Structure formats: C-alpha cells, structure tokens
C-alpha cells in the first residue's frame, strides 16, 4: 500500500510513498532470497560477541588476584586468555560483518534494479505531473541514504544489538541485582528513542519532499534559462528557488536540533545506569555477596554498553532517514506494474535499447487496453487522453495503419501529435479507448525515436548494440550505411571503437539522431514511430536527416510526427490533428488541393520554399 506524497506546490502530484507496513514487507521480500547469508552472518556475529564478553570476567579475575596478593605468575593464564579472546573475536567479527555487508549490498543492488525497472515503466504523463525533481531526488538522494545505511549502519546496528542483549545476559549471570541496576537506564533510553522517532520520521520525510521541490525548481529554472531571460522572469524564478532552498535549510536545522536533544537525553541515561551499578557493587561487596573482581566486571560490562547502546540509538537517526528514503523508493516500485501481457517493444527516447512496452494500470485512467494482433500494423480505436482532470489532449481519436504504410501526423503545436505517437508506441496509456499493436515474433514490434536523443557513454559500437546485443561489426556497419552515417562513423578517431557520450567524442545533433536511426534499423521493428525525430538537426542538416529517416523506415510501417512538412509530402497518408481531434486524412496532394486545415498549414509552412513533390 502506498500513500501520496504531499505536493511541494499546488500543481505537483508527487509520486507516492509506501506506508511503513508496505516498506517492511518489501524489505522482507528483498532479503528473502538471501536468508542463508543473513542467518550465517548473524550467527558468526553472535559467536564473536559472546567471545568478547569474556574480557570483563578475565579483567575481574586479574583484579581479584591483585587484591588477594597472589603471586605474579597467577596472572599468566588470564593474560593469555585475554590475548586469545582478542584474536578470536577479531577474526569472527570480520567474517560476520563481511557477510552482513555482502547481504546489504546484494539487497541494495536488488532494490536499485527494481526501482529502475519500475521507473522506466512509469507513464510519461505521470512523471510530468510529479515533476522531474521528485524522481531525481529519489534516484539520487534517497538511494544514497539507503546505500549509506546499508554500508555503515546495518553492520554496526547488528553488532550493537547483539552486544546489548548478550551483555545484559552476562550481567544477570554475575548477579541479577547488577542487571536490575543497569535496567534503571532503560526507561530514559526508551523515552528518548520514542521522543526521537515520533519527530524524526515526519521530519525526514518532509526533508525529502523539500529537497525534491528544490531540485525541481532548479531544473526548471536552469533548463528554461533562455525562456526565463526572454520573459524577464529572473527575479521571480530566483525568489522561487530561494524560497524552496530556505525551506530545505529550515528543515535541516530542525533535524540538527532534534539530534542535539537526542544526544543530551542519552547522556542522562548513561549517568543514571552507571551510578546505579556502582552503588549496587558497593553494597554487594560490603555484604560479601560478590568479590571486588565481580563488581569490577559488572561495572566494566555496563560501561561497555555505552558504545553499543549509544550506537544503536544514534543509528536510529540513519535508520529513520533511510526508512524515509526506502519508503519513497518502494512507493515507486509499487506504482508501475505491468497489468497485461507485453504487446511489443518500444525503445526509449532516441531509439535506445528496445524495451517491453509498459502496460501500467494508472489509477487516474479508466478503460485503456492494449491488444496484440497478427497482420494489422496498428489500430487506435476511440482513444482519448487527459493530463489530469480538466486537461484533455486527445478526443475519441481512431487511426489505423496498414502494414507497410507511412502515415504523417501534422498539426499545430499542442494538437496532441506527440501524445498520440507515445500512445501508439506503447510508452503511454490512453485515458480511454484501445490500441491494437502487432505481435512481435522474435523482434521488437514497436520502436519510438524522438527528438530528445541520448548518446550513451561508451564506444559507438556498444551504443549501437543496445538495440541488438548480438549484432556483429558487419551488422553495425550495414545499419550505419543504411542511414548514410557509415562515412563519418569510420572517420572517427577509433572508428566504431571511439568512445562517445559523456566525456567522450561529442556527436552533433544530426549525427546523434542518425545513431538513433541506426539503432532502429538494428532493432528491426514491425512499426516505427518517429516523434519529430529530425527537429534538432536545424535547416542545414534536416534534408540529409530526412533521407536517413526515410531509409530507416523502408519496408516497415511508420507513424511520423512531422516537424517539417516535407515528411508529409513523402508519406503515403497525412493525418491532421486539431485540438486533439482528427480533422483530415488523406494523401498530401489531395489535402493540399482541398483548401482545408492541411492546405492552410502547407501554405503557412511552405511560403517561399520550393516544396518537393512525392
């Protein structure tokens, strides 16, 4: 079960946060495959802690030998045993902590994989409602918090809890009255822990939300810097960023004050417990119930509890912060779960590695279905979509693409072209209506290429093989040749082995788009969806990139969101969207001569251009 996050502003609908019960259940599910590793790690730590508890009685024995005035030779055995205890405890503690750390890293890796898998399945409109900052904060800050807890807090917490339990047992073995004296500190410690936990969970959750809102504002301001300057909105955006930063700082200072109060209460508990044990030892020694060495061992036992008790309680700070982060991660892993069989595969923006078409069940949507069909390329029937209440984008759109047909989607900005393209590609679910897609037969059935191309870090060959991992060098060269990119690819410093992407050889927008089209060729889908895939090339490279796109689409069904109407000229059919509705459909020549919406678009776009004929 998940609960919605409190929005950072009135317009944001943040991704959900899992309830504590759901978070614990998810954690158990993550650990379950490695129960053997967990049990052996804890077992070895129990043995290490038990051996370490022999130190205090041995020191008490030494005190008794000295107090009784015995010969120095009597000290040999206790000293040798102390050395042996130290050696055995060191070895077993290392083994136990290593196994616990391995368990933590394995669970963390499993959590990351599930988070990435679900995050990639999220509908585009759901991410838009939440804002990029929310997801960014989770994948960076929350993952880092959980990772820090797994690597440091988890092993230390396991060792501290074992030390506390076994040390209290050892106190009882010395004399139950020592245990009762030590337990006087427990009420103060429990009240301190309760006081802290009740405040920390909400505070750290609020911090995560505030950090997400801060990152969202920075992304919006920096990403839209040109627009912000163009509309003279610098002061307004600066004030928004400052306001959200002040909120984050205010919450951080509240957490600092909370931790300071937490430590102060812990010190009071230490003084109460130690004083009680020392007083009990004084009375017991005076009455002859125990020896001076036994009283010394009891005092040393309680003093040795300072470290584990304080560590366990202090680690509540990390645990609460990590728990808040884990709840936010589990909230995402629970959000996007495929509801129906995979209908095909669609590549992410830029024609990257083909991945299964996500089939989410989104609470805000009703009635969407995606079916598989053999023969027909794709059919959208009465598809509607809205980005939240009162924000309809598509209205009862029906569209059928015949096998091998190239259909161009045209219309003014905001007409719903990209939304329809994403729905047809399967990366977004419609609010209502059905989409029938071709069934894949060993190859991805749908691949989407958008204008937002991503060049992955690595060699050019590795980047291409994201679409088909088993492709040979000959296959890569053939795909590049198909989209007219082989010449520049082989002219790179190391040819196909040249490192591209972040920190590597920079590819200009036209070449990056050709790389995406080459990935499309390698993937070999039955249906290709191009969402303004030539828009980033600029006028100079647009014609060449259009030829690359035409070559990549040869022999396959294609839906093309046309940025330039030259693509509509070359298409078999043109579909005109206006305010989310299909208003015209037919060949370019027919629509151009019909003096309808397409003719008006053509006249406005062509102007003085000499438009090519089909």
């Amino acid at each position: 079960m998940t609960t919605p996050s409190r929005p950072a502003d009135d317009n944001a609908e943040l991704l959900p946060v899992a309830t504590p019960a759901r978070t614990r259940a998810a954690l158990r599910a993550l650990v379950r495959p490695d129960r053997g590793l967990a049990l052996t790690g804890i077992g070895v730590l129990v043995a290490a802690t038990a051996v370490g508890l022999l130190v205090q009685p041995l020191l008490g024995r030494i005190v008794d030998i000295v107090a009784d005035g015995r010969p120095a030779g009597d000290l040999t055995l206790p000293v040798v045993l102390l050395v042996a205890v130290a050696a055995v405890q060191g070895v077993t503690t290392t083994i136990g902590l290593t196994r616990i750390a391995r368990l933590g890293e394995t669970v963390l890796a499993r959590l990351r994989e599930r988070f990435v898998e679900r995050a990639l399945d999220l509908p585009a409109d759901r991410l838009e409602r939440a804002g990029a900052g929310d997801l960014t904060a989770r994948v960076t800050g929350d993952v880092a918090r959980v990772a820090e807890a797994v690597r440091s807090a988890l092993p230390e917490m396991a060792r501290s809890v074992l030390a506390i339990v076994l040390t209290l047992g050892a106190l009882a073995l010395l004399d139950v009255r020592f245990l009762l004296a030590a337990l006087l500190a427990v009420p103060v410690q429990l009240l301190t822990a309760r006081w802290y936990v009740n405040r920390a969970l909400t505070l750290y959750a609020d911090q995560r939300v505030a950090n997400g809102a801060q990152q969202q504002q920075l992304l919006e301001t920096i990403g839209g810097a040109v627009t912000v300057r163009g509309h003279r909105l610098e002061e307004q955006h600066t004030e928004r960023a400052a306001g959200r930063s002040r909120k984050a700082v205010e919450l951080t200072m509240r957490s600092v004050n909370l931790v300071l109060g937490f430590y102060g209460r812990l010190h009071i508990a230490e003084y109460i417990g130690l004083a009680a044990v020392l007083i009990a030892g004084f009375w017991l020694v005076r009455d002859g119930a125990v020896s001076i060495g036994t009283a010394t061992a009891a005092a040393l036992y309680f003093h040795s509890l300072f470290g584990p008790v304080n560590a366990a309680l202090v680690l509540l700070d990390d645990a609460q912060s990590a728990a808040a982060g884990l709840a936010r991660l589990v909230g995402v892993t629970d959000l996007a779960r495929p509801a129906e069989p995979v209908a095909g595969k669609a590549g992410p923006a830029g024609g990257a590695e083909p991945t299964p078409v996500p089939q989410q069940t989104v609470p805000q949507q009703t009635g969407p279905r995606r079916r598989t069909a053999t023969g027909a390329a794709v059919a959208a029937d009465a598809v509607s979509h809205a980005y939240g209440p009162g924000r309809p984008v598509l209205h009862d759109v029906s569209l059928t693409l015949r096998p091998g047909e190239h259909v161009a989607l045209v219309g003014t900005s905001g007409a719903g072209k990209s939304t329809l393209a994403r729905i047809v590609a399967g990366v977004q679910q419609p609010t209502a209506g059905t989409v029938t897609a071709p069934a894949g037969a060993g190859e991805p059935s749908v691949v989407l290429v958008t204008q937002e191309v991503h060049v992955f870090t690595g060699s050019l060959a590795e980047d291409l093989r994201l679409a088909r991992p088993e492709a040979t060098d000959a296959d890569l060269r053939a795909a590049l040749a198909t989209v007219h990119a082989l010449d520049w690819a082989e002219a790179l410093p190391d040819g196909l082995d040249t490192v591209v992407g972040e920190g590597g050889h920079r590819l200009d927008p036209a070449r990056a788009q050709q790389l995406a089209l080459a990935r499309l060729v390698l993937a070999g889908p039955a249906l290709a969806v191009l969402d303004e895939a030539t828009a980033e090339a600029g006028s100079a490279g647009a014609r060449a990139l259009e030829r690359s796109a035409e070559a990549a689409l040869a022999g396959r069904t294609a839906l093309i969101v046309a940025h330039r109407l030259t693509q509509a000229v070359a298409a078999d059919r043109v579909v005109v969207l206006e305010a989310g509705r299909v208003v015209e459909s037919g060949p370019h020549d027919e629509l151009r001569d019909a003096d309808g919406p397409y003719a008006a678009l053509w006249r406005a776009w062509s102007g003085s251009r000499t438009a090519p004929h089909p």
Side-chain angles (χ1 to χ4, degrees), residues 450-451 509 513 531-539 542 545 563-564 567:
T450 75
Q451 61 180 322
Q513 195 62 267
D531 185 5
E532 299 188 350
T534 64
E536 294 296 319
S539 299
L545 197 52
H563 173 71
R564 297 167 58 87
Q567 296 172 293

Side-chain angles (χ1 to χ4, degrees), residues 219-448:
L219 287 171
E220 290 177 354
T221 301
I222 296 173
V226 174
T227 303
V228 170
R229 287 195 297 268
H231 289 276
R232 309 275 186 182
L233 297 175
E234 297 95 329
E235 183 175 347
Q236 181 180 352
H237 274 255
T238 300
E239 180 56 33
R240 286 181 183 175
R244 294 188 176 182
S245 296
R246 283 193 297 270
K247 180 65 174 177
V249 170
E250 176 190 345
L251 290 171
T252 300
M253 293 309 300
R254 284 176 56 190
S255 68
V256 169
N257 291 331
L258 182 66
V259 170
L260 290 176
F262 179 65
Y263 277 117
R265 287 166 170 80
L266 286 185
H267 292 325
I268 294 173
E270 290 175 2
Y271 298 149
I272 292 173
L274 184 57
V277 170
L278 289 175
I279 292 171
F282 170 77
W283 286 104
L284 291 173
V285 170
R286 193 186 69 169
D287 294 343
V290 299
S291 67
I292 296 176
T294 301
T296 302
L300 290 174
Y301 269 138
F302 186 81
H303 189 273
S304 70
L305 282 175
F306 285 6
V309 168
N310 288 347
L313 293 177
V314 168
L315 286 174
L316 284 174
D317 182 66
D318 293 334
Q320 291 301 313
S321 181
L326 182 61
R328 284 162 55 84
L329 297 178
V330 173
V332 173
T333 64
D334 284 350
L335 180 63
R337 292 186 180 277
E340 299 194 18
V342 172
K345 293 187 177 181
E353 182 180 8
T355 54
V357 173
Q359 305 296 323
Q360 302 91 348
T361 299
V362 184
Q364 294 82 3
Q365 300 172 344
T366 59
R369 293 291 185 272
R370 187 173 180 86
R371 305 166 180 162
T372 60
T374 303
V378 67
D381 182 24
V383 167
S384 297
H385 190 72
Y387 291 105
R391 298 173 57 194
V393 178
L394 296 176
H395 306 271
D396 199 29
V397 173
S398 294
L399 175 67
T400 300
L401 279 73
R402 296 181 295 274
E405 184 181 24
H406 290 186
V407 174
L409 275 180
V410 302
T412 57
S413 178
K417 304 184 298 297
S418 293
T419 300
L420 180 58
R422 291 200 297 266
I423 289 173
V424 169
V427 299
Q428 185 165 307
Q429 289 279 20
T431 304
T434 60
V435 178
T436 303
E443 298 288 349
S445 56
V446 186
V447 164
L448 170 68

Side-chain angles (χ1 to χ4, degrees), residues 15-78:
L15 297 170
V17 176
T19 61
R22 174 61 197 138
T23 303
R24 290 191 295 270
L27 185 59
R28 287 194 296 269
L30 289 169
V31 175
R32 191 172 296 118
D34 297 291
R35 284 174 295 183
L37 183 62
L39 291 175
T40 55
I42 293 173
V44 174
L45 281 181
V46 169
T49 305
V51 170
L53 292 178
L54 296 175
V55 170
Q56 288 83 353
L58 289 172
L59 290 175
R61 179 64 176 168
I62 291 174
V63 170
D64 282 338
I65 291 173
V66 173
D68 293 342
R70 299 179 190 176
D74 290 352
L75 295 173
T76 303
L77 181 59

